[in-house]
Amino acid sequence: MRSDAFDAYAGARLTIDLDAIVANYLAIAARVAPARTAAVVKADAYGLGATKVAAALADAGCRDFFVAMLGEALELGPTLPAEARLYVLNGLPPGAEQACAQAGLRPVLNSLAQARRWAQAARAAGRRLPAAVQVDSGMSRLGLSAEDVEQLAADRGFFADVDVALVMSHLACADTPDAPANARQLSTFNALAERLAPGAPRSLANSGGSFASAAFHGDLVRPGIALYGGDPLAQGGSGLRDVVTLEVRVVQVRTVPAGAGVGYGLTYVAGEERRIATLGMGYADGWPRRLGGKAAAYWRGVRLPMVGRISMDSIGLDVTDLADGELAEGDLVELIGPHQPLQAVADMAETITYEILTSLGRRFERVYRPSTYRGGQGQ
Ligand SMILES: *Cc1c(COP(=O)(O)O)cnc(C)c1O
């Protein structure tokens, strides 16, 4: 948390709607039931604040959480309800077995070496330890190969030491439901899961997979981006609520004559007299430099184009369309919101909503709209 003074003088305000995150979670949970719905809160909940996001989701009944790194799990774990399950997607780093076991975390075992080390840790601890086992169903990123699955399936000692709480895999093309790779991965996954641990719960679907048919949902779905308002489907239309609003303060407004250049390299030159506002954020705050001259800001619904290069801490904005004095130092203009949604920003930057969200910096005033949902029973 930043100090109050830092917030009061911040160049920009990021508003995170926890109520919308919970609504998105509950919409997915209703869609995939009776499968359970986990929450992926890696990378600080895609930049939005893992502790706050996870607390709101736990209040709404979420009991399964995923982060990527063990360090993230060690920080988040103590803030979760005691009965919550916290999985570490990137697995078990060598030497981390004891720390992982002591903290009650569940590594996603991605290799035979990790599986053996976790079993050894269980023997050392004198108790069975829970874990997820990941199999590679065709993405070639993390998880056991078919040969590895054969070897582990034959290792009865492993199953005596390790409680396989989940067999999981990950879809490479989940944003495109019709991609033939999805059906191939589903059948490979089910075959490998059957071979490894026939009775264990299964999990294959991320956000996109949660919008695919029920066959993809298994026992537990693992949405991330959909919780945070990013549309998981390439063609859009998943009907989720927007979560993030980004507003930036005007630092200065000036009138420049015809021929004046704006910003580094003077790449924008005013063709006539223009009014230029300078905004208090830049690429150091995660606003992509490649959006210079492409994106806009909005003031009371009026589109104001960004001009010139994006600086580290500032952005030039052409505000000539506003009346003189209408926009003043300290005013907040919209950069991500109803007029310029997250998806539009990602499209202009030729990237994905995930990258925009996870790049958003640490210099913003952060305002959390509370979740109004209470009384989740746990699932
Ligand atoms: C990041 C991640 C997810 C969540 O993906 P989204 O596309 O954000 O829903 C789920 N599973 C695994 C293994 C992941 O790495």
Side-chain angles (χ1 to χ4, degrees), residues 57-315:
L57 291 171
D59 280 346
C62 183
R63 290 294 176 271
D64 296 276
F65 296 89
F66 289 83
V67 291
M69 311 292 179
L70 182 57
E72 295 181 303
L74 291 169
E75 274 187 17
L76 182 64
T79 74
L80 296 177
E83 70 274 24
R85 299 167 285 269
L86 179 54
Y87 292 92
V88 184
L89 289 166
N90 274 10
L92 188 64
E97 297 79 13
Q98 248 205 326
C100 197
Q102 266 168 10
L105 303 172
R106 299 176 171 216
V108 174
L109 303 173
N110 289 314
S111 69
L112 283 178
Q114 289 180 21
R116 303 234 150 96
R117 283 192 281 109
W118 194 236
Q120 218 166 33
R123 283 194 298 279
R127 62 193 165 99
R128 256 180 126 214
L129 290 175
V133 178
Q134 177 147 231
V135 297
D136 176 23
S137 59
M139 189 176 178
S140 313
R141 190 172 73 167
L142 290 169
L144 304 186
S145 67
E147 298 77 59
D148 295 339
V149 166
E150 288 306 319
Q151 278 201 41
L152 197 60
D155 182 353
R156 287 297 107 197
F158 171 77
F159 295 90
D161 295 324
V162 175
D163 166 22
V164 179
L166 200 62
V167 180
M168 60 169 278
S169 193
H170 192 52
L171 295 167
C173 305
D175 62 346
T176 316
D178 296 339
N182 293 326
R184 280 201 303 272
Q185 281 199 265
L186 176 62
S187 83
T188 301
F189 171 61
N190 280 329
L192 291 175
E194 199 59 33
R195 191 75 195 92
L196 182 69
R202 296 179 190 178
S203 177
L204 178 62
N206 63 343
S207 296
S210 304
F211 285 84
S213 68
F216 286 88
H217 301 160
D219 298 288
L220 182 74
V221 299
R222 309 185 307 267
I225 194 71
L227 304 177
Y228 311 116
D231 200 306
L233 303 178
Q235 89 270 12
S238 54
L240 297 159
R241 270 174 64 181
D242 289 332
V243 167
V244 159
T245 309
L246 178 60
E247 301 161 288
V248 183
R249 285 196 196 282
V250 173
V251 176
Q252 184 170 11
V253 185
R254 71 174 67 248
T255 300
V256 301
V262 176
Y264 283 118
L266 306 177
T267 55
Y268 171 85
V269 177
E272 60 199 325
E273 185 177 284
R274 308 298 289 176
R275 236 183 348 270
I276 303 294
T278 301
L279 303 179
M281 70 173 279
Y283 62 77
D285 302 292
W287 191 255
R289 191 168 170 277
R290 65 193 307 173
L291 284 180
K294 280 194 195 167
Y298 286 80
W299 168 253
R300 297 181 178 153
V302 180
R303 182 179 191 278
L304 305 169
M306 291 179 179
V307 291
R309 286 193 188 143
I310 310 281
S311 294
M312 184 187 293
D313 317 293
S314 65
I315 300 171

Side-chain angles (χ1 to χ4, degrees), residues 344-362:
V345 173
D347 290 345
M348 283 186 285
E350 294 172 54
T351 182
I352 51 178
T353 54
Y354 302 68
E355 191 178 26
I356 300 295
L357 285 184
T358 56
S359 301
L360 291 177
R362 298 290 172 264

